[in-house]
Structure formats: structure tokens, C-alpha cells
């Protein structure tokens, strides 16, 4: 089977794929960020990349190389950028880097991109990059360039949340290094997880404001914002399957929506 990863294709093969304007390209958006003492620092790259590859198989899309660095970790969602190992871009650097990549795909003839985000803090800066790319492509006469952006955890259904968090679900913002990401990594890359080092702790609580520079003591010493102790590979498979199904369905619907819309032009 031909790879869905565009960097593994010859340029001539890639060119023949993107000649069709309906060809969707998925861009996984990650970060290099500490995720607790029990896990590698790359779940925000691995998870959206593997989800993207599975979605691409379902909808005949292609997957671009992931962004391996992301926007700065924030204390209340990722432990904070003061943590050792966490290596981030300034927000506007991410916006401009994503804008450049989108415009390059536009130059190749690509007209449909899905940005698959795996790092909470990327969202506003990625959004800015998308808006700038669309604006600049419009200035150069490309007026049918369309981008969807989503974070994969928003495709976890209530039903799956009940199965994965039978005790209590504290919310996606404190899931950093918790059951969600750890379960997905146990399913996708178990060799990068050591559950004997999984910290036992209550979900982190923060005041209703953010302080700069951060007070390091606000972040739990482990770097996790909730305990990953209840993570399992089985939960990871459930989470993976539900997000792949949800994202595949959405991207398919979005394609037909665009075609329907085009008929009225
Ligand atoms: Zn993460």
C-alpha cells in the first residue's frame, strides 16, 4: 500500500495526488512538552499523527509531517513553560510557520487542509496562521482554499467519557499527562510509557486567574495535572477509535458540504 505520509512519497507521486482539488491534506499540530515522569515528551505529536494517518486511510487523504514544536505551555493546561524539557515557540512564530506551510500547499494546488491539533495551547495561534494564509492566498487570486481546524479530544463522545472516566471526569484542561493521553500512548506507543512511575494525585486546582511569571508550586510536582494511574491500553483503543471515526465523518461531511455549496455558485 502507498504511504499516506506526504514526505514518504516521491514529488511526482505527490503532484499527481494534489492535482485533484478534492485531495485533503491533514497537518498534525503538536508540541515538545513534559507529560509527567511516566511518559515521553511527544504525545502531542504521536497522538494527532497516528489519528491523522488512520483518518487519511478512511477518506483517502494525505498527512503532512507534524509540527513537533508548539505554542508555550500554560500552567493551567500544560503545567507551564517553566518546566524543564518543555520547548516551545512564541505564539506568533507558530502562527507564521503554519501560515507559510499552508501557503506552500496552496502553491502546490491543494485547496483543502485539515489541521489536527494535539496541544491545547496551539489553538489561538494556529487559528491566526490559518486566517493570515487564507487572506494572503486570496490576495494572490486563490479564493477557494479551505481549512478545518480541530482538537482531537473534542471528538471523544459523552458515552466514551463515561467508559474512560467511570469515577469522575475533571475536564480536558486538567487532562495534561492524565488518563486520556496516557491511555492513547499505551495503545499507540506502549514502549514510551512506564506505568510504574505514574503519579497518584488529585486533579490540579487553580485560581480563576493566571499569573505571570508563574508560581512553580501551583503545578503539581509530577508535571501531570491529574493522575494517569487509571490509564489502560484498552481505554486508549476506545479513545483512538472514537476520535478517528468522528473526525473521518466530519471531514467527509465537510467535503460534500463544499461540493453542494459549489453547485449554487
Ligand atoms: Zn499533551
Amino acid at each position: 500500500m502507498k504511504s499516506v505520509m506526504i514526505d514518504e512519497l516521491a514529488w511526482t507521486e505527490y503532484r499527481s495526488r494534489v492535482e485533484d482539488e478534492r485531495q485533503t491534506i491533514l497537518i498534525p499540530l503538536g508540541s515538545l512538552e513534559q507529560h509527567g515522569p511516566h511518559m515521553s515528551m511527544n504525545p502531542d505529536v504521536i497522538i494527532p499523527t497516528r489519528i491523522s494517518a488512520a483518518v487519511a486511510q478512511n477518506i483517502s487523504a494525505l498527512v503532512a509531517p507534524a509540527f513537533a514544536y508548539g505554542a508555550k505551555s500554560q500552567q493551567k493546561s500544560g503545567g507551564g513553560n517553566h518546566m524543564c524539557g518543555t520547548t516551545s515557540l512564541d505564539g506568533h512564530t507558530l502562527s507564521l510557520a503554519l501560515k507559510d506551510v499552508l501557503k506552500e500547499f496552496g502553491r502546490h494546488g491543494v485547496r483543502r487542509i485539515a489541521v489536527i491539533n494535539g496541544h491545547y495551547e496551539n489553538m489561538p495561534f494556529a487559528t491566526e496562521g490559518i486566517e493570515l494564509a487564507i487572506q494572503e492566498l486570496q490576495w494572490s487570486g486563490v479564493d477557494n482554499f479551505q481549512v478545518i481546524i480541530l482538537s482531537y479530544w473534542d471528538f471523544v463522545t459523552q458515552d466514551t467519557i463515561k467508559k474512560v472516566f467511570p469515577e469522575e471526569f475533571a475536564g480536558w484542561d486538567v487532562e495534561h499527562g492524565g488518563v486520556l493521553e496516557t491511555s492513547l500512548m499505551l495503545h499507540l506507543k506502549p514502549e514510551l510509557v512506564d506505568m510504574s512511575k505514574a503519579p497518584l494525585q488529585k486533579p490540579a486546582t487553580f485560581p480563576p486567574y493566571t499569573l505571570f511569571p508563574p508560581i512553580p508550586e501551583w503545578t503539581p510536582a509530577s508535571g501531570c495535572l491529574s493522575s494517569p494511574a487509571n490509564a489502560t491500553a484498552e481505554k486508549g483503543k476506545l479513545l483512538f477509535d472514537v476520535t478517528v471515526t468522528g473526525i473521518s465523518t466530519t471531514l467527509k461531511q465537510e467535503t460534500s458540504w463544499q461540493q453542494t455549496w459549489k453547485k449554487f455558485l
Side-chain angles (χ1 to χ4, degrees):
M1 196 196 304
K2 283 241 164 64
S3 176
V4 296
M5 310 305 288
I6 63 172
D7 58 342
E8 293 177 2
L9 301 176
W11 77 277
T12 41
E13 166 74 15
Y14 168 76
R15 183 179 57 184
S16 69
R17 293 287 299 269
V18 301
E19 265 166 10
D20 183 345
E21 279 195 1
R22 291 167 303 176
Q23 178 64 60
T24 301
I25 291 193
L26 281 64
I27 308 179
L29 215 55
S31 73
L32 177 57
E33 186 184 34
Q34 71 76 22
H35 274 75
H38 66 297
M39 189 158 64
S40 58
M41 294 198 284
N42 60 359
D44 294 356
V45 176
I46 300 283
I47 298 168
T49 301
R50 293 287 295 273
I51 289 174
S52 295
V55 169
Q57 298 283 2
N58 285 346
I59 66 165
S60 301
L62 294 171
V63 183
F67 274 65
Y69 299 92
K72 289 189 202 75
S73 179
Q74 296 299 321
Q75 193 161 34
K76 290 158 71 173
S77 50
N81 218 64
H82 59 289
M83 305 288 291
C84 186
T86 296
T87 310
S88 306
L89 302 175
D90 289 343
H92 57 262
T93 310
L94 175 64
S95 296
L96 296 180
L98 181 61
K99 181 191 78 163
D100 288 351
V101 169
L102 290 172
K103 284 169 59 189
E104 285 291 85
F105 287 129
R107 177 174 67 79
H108 306 158
V110 176
R111 294 294 178 262
R112 289 180 43 78
I113 304 256
V115 177
I116 311 297
N117 182 41
H119 175 62
Y120 193 88
E121 291 84 344
N122 283 341
M123 269 315 230
F125 304 105
T127 302
E128 171 74 357
I130 291 165
E131 289 183 324
L132 290 174
I134 287 178
Q135 185 180 51
E136 292 182 21
L137 284 164
Q138 280 172 346
W139 288 341
S140 49
V142 177
D143 60 0
N144 60 344
F145 188 81
Q146 196 181 31
V147 184
I148 292 175
I149 183 166
L150 58 89
S151 293
Y152 71 82
W153 52 85
D154 287 330
F155 287 79
V156 178
T157 57
Q158 286 302 321
D159 194 43
T160 308
I161 288 176
K162 276 190 209 127
K163 285 182 193 147
V164 173
F165 304 93
E167 324 73 30
E168 67 151 343
F169 176 54
W172 292 135
D173 46 346
V174 290
E175 262 307 305
H176 180 75
V179 170
L180 169 85
E181 290 177 309
T182 305
S183 295
L184 279 161
M185 287 294 279
L186 282 169
H187 173 54
L188 298 171
K189 274 268 183 202
E191 66 273 27
L192 298 183
V193 185
D194 178 357
M195 287 304 283
S196 72
K197 294 189 176 140
L200 281 169
Q201 61 186 67
K202 292 219 171 316
T205 52
F206 297 102
Y209 54 86
T210 303
L211 204 58
F212 294 94
I215 298 171
E217 291 71 31
W218 281 14
T219 303
S222 68
C224 299
L225 296 188
S226 54
S227 176
N230 290 328
T232 64
E234 290 70 33
K235 289 178 180 177
K237 183 174 175 356
L238 271 180
L239 289 160
F240 184 76
D241 291 345
V242 77
T243 50
V244 168
T245 303
I247 294 170
S248 301
T249 306
T250 297
L251 295 186
K252 269 188 216 152
Q253 281 169 352
E254 198 63 24
T255 307
S256 53
W257 172 80
Q258 194 195 27
Q259 283 162 349
T260 314
W261 176 75
K262 268 187 174 167
K263 283 186 199 145
F264 290 96
L265 285 179

